[in-house]
C-alpha cells in the first residue's frame, strides 16, 4: 500500500469511533426525549448525521484506494449502521493500517516485494 492508502485508512479509523459514540448518544437522547422533558435529539441528530456522512465519504475513499473486496467494503459499511460497530471497525482498521505501514517500510528498504 502507498502512503495515500494508509492515510485513507487512518482517516476512516479516526472518524469511526466518534461516529459510534454519537450514535450511542443519539440513542440515549431518544430514550430521554420519550421518558423526560429533556430533548437533545435535534442537536445529537445533527452531530451524528455529519459524522455519518463523513464516515461514508472516508469509507468510499478507503474502499477505492485499498481495493477492498465487496465483502470487506460491506462489512465496514455495516459497522457504521450498527450502534457499536464503529468500535469494531476502528480496531480492525488499526491493524490494517499498521500492516500497511510495515509493508510500505519493507518495500522502501527493499526487504520484500510487497
Amino acid at each position: 500500500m502507498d502512503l495515500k492508502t494508509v492515510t485513507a485508512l487512518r482517516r476512516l479509523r479516526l472518524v469511526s469511533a466518534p461516529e459510534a459514540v454519537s450514535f450511542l448518544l443519539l440513542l440515549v437522547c431518544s430514550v430521554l426525549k420519550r421518558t423526560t422533558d429533556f430533548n437533545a435529539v435535534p442537536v445529537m441528530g445533527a452531530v451524528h448525521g455529519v459524522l455519518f456522512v463523513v464516515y461514508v465519504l472516508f469509507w468510499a475513499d478507503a474502499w477505492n484506494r485499498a481495493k477492498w473486496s465487496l465483502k470487506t467494503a460491506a462489512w465496514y459499511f455495516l459497522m457504521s449502521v450498527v450502534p457499536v460497530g464503529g468500535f469494531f471497525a476502528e480496531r480492525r482498521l488499526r491493524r490494517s493500517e499498521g500492516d500497511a505501514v510495515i509493508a510500505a517500510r519493507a518495500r522502501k528498504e527493499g526487504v520484500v516485494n510487497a
Side-chain angles (χ1 to χ4, degrees), residues 19-30 44 48 83-84 87:
E19 191 271 337
V21 169
S22 71
F23 193 6
L24 291 174
L25 288 175
L26 180 60
L27 292 175
V28 169
C29 289
S30 296
M44 279 312 302
H48 174 65
V84 294
F87 299 119

Side-chain angles (χ1 to χ4, degrees), residues 12-93:
L12 182 60
R13 180 180 64 82
L14 290 175
V15 78
S16 63
E19 191 271 337
V21 169
S22 71
F23 193 6
L24 291 174
L25 288 175
L26 180 60
L27 292 175
V28 169
C29 289
S30 296
V31 170
L32 290 175
K33 176 184 175 183
R34 297 192 186 348
T35 58
T36 65
D37 291 334
F38 183 72
N39 185 12
V41 171
V43 173
M44 279 312 302
V47 169
H48 174 65
V50 168
L51 286 172
F52 179 75
V53 168
V54 169
Y55 182 94
V56 170
L57 290 174
F58 288 168
W59 165 80
D61 183 42
W63 183 11
N64 182 39
R65 292 188 187 277
K67 308 288 190 255
W68 287 335
S69 66
L70 183 60
K71 181 181 175 183
T72 302
W75 187 85
Y76 281 115
F77 185 79
L78 180 64
M79 291 300 103
S80 71
V81 295
V82 175
V84 294
F87 299 119
F88 295 109
E90 192 272 336
R91 177 184 241 176
R92 190 167 169 186
L93 283 164

